Coordinates of all heavy atoms in Angstrom, one line a residue:
G331 N 96.8 182.7 82.9 CA 97.2 183.2 84.3 C 96.6 184.6 84.5 O 96.4 185.0 85.7
C332 N 96.2 185.4 83.5 CA 95.7 186.7 83.6 C 94.5 186.7 84.3 O 94.0 187.4 85.2 CB 95.5 187.5 82.3 SG 94.6 186.6 81.0
F333 N 93.6 185.6 83.9 CA 92.3 185.4 84.7 C 92.4 185.1 86.1 O 91.6 185.5 86.9 CB 91.5 184.4 83.9 CG 91.2 184.6 82.5 CD1 92.0 184.1 81.4 CD2 90.1 185.6 82.1 CE1 91.6 184.3 80.1 CE2 89.8 185.9 80.8 CZ 90.6 185.3 79.8
I334 N 93.4 184.2 86.4 CA 93.6 183.8 87.7 C 94.1 185.1 88.6 O 93.6 185.3 89.7 CB 94.8 182.8 87.8 CG1 94.3 181.5 87.1 CG2 95.1 182.4 89.3 CD1 95.3 180.4 87.1
S335 N 94.9 185.9 87.9 CA 95.4 187.1 88.7 C 94.2 188.1 88.9 O 94.2 188.6 89.9 CB 96.5 187.9 87.8 OG 97.6 187.1 87.5
I336 N 93.3 188.2 88.0 CA 92.2 189.1 88.1 C 91.3 188.6 89.2 O 90.8 189.4 90.0 CB 91.4 189.3 86.7 CG1 92.3 190.1 85.7 CG2 90.1 189.9 86.9 CD1 91.6 190.0 84.3
F337 N 91.1 187.4 89.2 CA 90.3 186.7 90.2 C 91.0 187.0 91.7 O 90.2 187.4 92.6 CB 90.2 185.3 89.9 CG 89.5 184.4 91.2 CD1 88.0 184.5 91.2 CD2 90.2 183.8 92.1 CE1 87.5 183.9 92.3 CE2 89.5 183.0 93.0 CZ 88.1 183.1 93.2
R338 N 92.2 186.8 91.7 CA 92.9 187.0 93.0 C 92.8 188.5 93.4 O 92.6 188.8 94.7 CB 94.3 186.5 92.9 CG 94.5 185.1 92.9 CD 96.0 184.6 92.7 NE 96.2 183.2 92.7 CZ 97.3 182.7 92.5 NH1 98.4 183.4 92.2 NH2 97.4 181.4 92.4
I339 N 92.9 189.4 92.5 CA 92.9 190.8 92.8 C 91.5 191.2 93.3 O 91.3 191.8 94.3 CB 93.2 191.6 91.6 CG1 94.8 191.5 91.3 CG2 93.0 193.1 91.8 CD1 95.3 192.1 90.0
N340 N 90.5 190.7 92.5 CA 89.1 191.0 93.1 C 88.8 190.4 94.4 O 88.1 191.1 95.2 CB 88.1 190.4 92.0 CG 88.1 191.1 90.6 OD1 88.6 192.4 90.6 ND2 87.8 190.5 89.6
R341 N 89.4 189.2 94.7 CA 89.1 188.7 96.0 C 89.8 189.4 97.0 O 89.3 189.6 98.1 CB 89.5 187.1 96.0 CG 89.2 186.4 97.1 CD 89.5 185.0 97.1 NE 91.0 184.8 97.0 CZ 91.5 183.6 96.8 NH1 90.7 182.4 96.9 NH2 92.9 183.4 96.6
W342 N 91.1 189.9 96.7 CA 91.8 190.7 97.8 C 91.1 192.0 98.0 O 91.0 192.5 99.2 CB 93.2 191.0 97.2 CG 94.0 191.7 98.2 CD1 94.8 191.2 99.3 CD2 94.3 193.2 98.2 NE1 95.4 192.2 99.9 CE2 95.2 193.4 99.3 CE3 93.8 194.3 97.4 CZ2 95.5 194.7 99.6 CZ3 94.3 195.4 97.6 CH2 95.1 195.7 98.7
N343 N 90.5 192.7 96.9 CA 89.8 193.9 97.1 C 88.5 193.7 97.9 O 88.2 194.7 98.7 CB 89.5 194.6 95.7 CG 90.7 195.0 94.9 OD1 91.6 195.3 95.5 ND2 90.6 195.1 93.5
Q344 N 87.9 192.6 97.7 CA 86.6 192.3 98.4 C 86.9 192.2 99.8 O 86.2 192.7 100.7 CB 86.0 191.2 97.9 CG 84.6 190.8 98.5 CD 83.7 192.0 98.2 OE1 83.6 192.5 97.1 NE2 82.9 192.3 99.3
R345 N 88.1 191.4 100.1 CA 88.5 191.4 101.6 C 88.8 192.7 102.2 O 88.6 192.9 103.4 CB 89.7 190.4 101.7 CG 89.3 188.9 101.4 CD 90.5 188.0 101.4 NE 90.2 186.6 101.2 CZ 91.1 185.6 101.1 NH1 92.4 186.0 101.5 NH2 90.7 184.4 101.1
S346 N 89.5 193.6 101.4 CA 89.9 194.9 101.9 C 88.6 195.8 102.3 O 88.6 196.4 103.4 CB 90.7 195.5 100.9 OG 91.9 194.8 100.8
L347 N 87.6 195.7 101.4 CA 86.4 196.4 101.6 C 85.7 195.8 102.8 O 85.1 196.6 103.6 CB 85.6 196.3 100.4 CG 86.0 197.1 99.1 CD1 85.2 196.7 98.0 CD2 85.9 198.5 99.5
D348 N 85.6 194.5 103.0 CA 84.9 193.9 104.1 C 85.6 194.3 105.4 O 85.1 194.6 106.4 CB 85.0 192.5 104.0 CG 84.1 191.9 102.9 OD1 83.2 192.7 102.4 OD2 84.3 190.7 102.5
S349 N 87.1 194.4 105.4 CA 87.7 194.8 106.6 C 87.5 196.2 107.0 O 87.3 196.5 108.2 CB 89.3 194.6 106.3 OG 90.1 195.1 107.4
L350 N 87.5 197.1 105.9 CA 87.2 198.6 106.2 C 85.8 198.7 106.7 O 85.6 199.6 107.7 CB 87.3 199.4 104.9 CG 88.8 199.6 104.5 CD1 88.9 200.2 103.1 CD2 89.6 200.4 105.5
S351 N 84.9 198.0 106.1 CA 83.5 198.1 106.6 C 83.3 197.7 108.0 O 82.5 198.3 108.9 CB 82.5 197.3 105.7 OG 82.7 197.6 104.4
S352 N 84.0 196.6 108.4 CA 83.9 196.1 109.8 C 84.6 197.1 110.8 O 84.1 197.2 111.9 CB 84.6 194.8 109.9 OG 86.0 194.9 109.6
R353 N 85.6 197.9 110.3 CA 86.2 198.8 111.3 C 85.3 200.0 111.5 O 85.3 200.6 112.6 CB 87.4 199.3 110.6 CG 88.6 198.3 110.6 CD 89.9 198.9 110.0 NE 90.9 197.9 109.9 CZ 92.1 198.2 109.3 NH1 92.4 199.4 108.9 NH2 93.1 197.2 109.3

Side-chain angles (χ1 to χ4, degrees):
C332 59
F333 297 103
I334 297 174
S335 299
I336 292 172
F337 174 76
R338 287 177 177 174
I339 291 172
N340 290 337
R341 188 172 60 176
W342 182 84
N343 289 337
Q344 185 62 44
R345 287 180 178 176
S346 300
L347 289 173
D348 292 342
S349 177
L350 289 172
S351 300
S352 62
R353 289 181 184 180

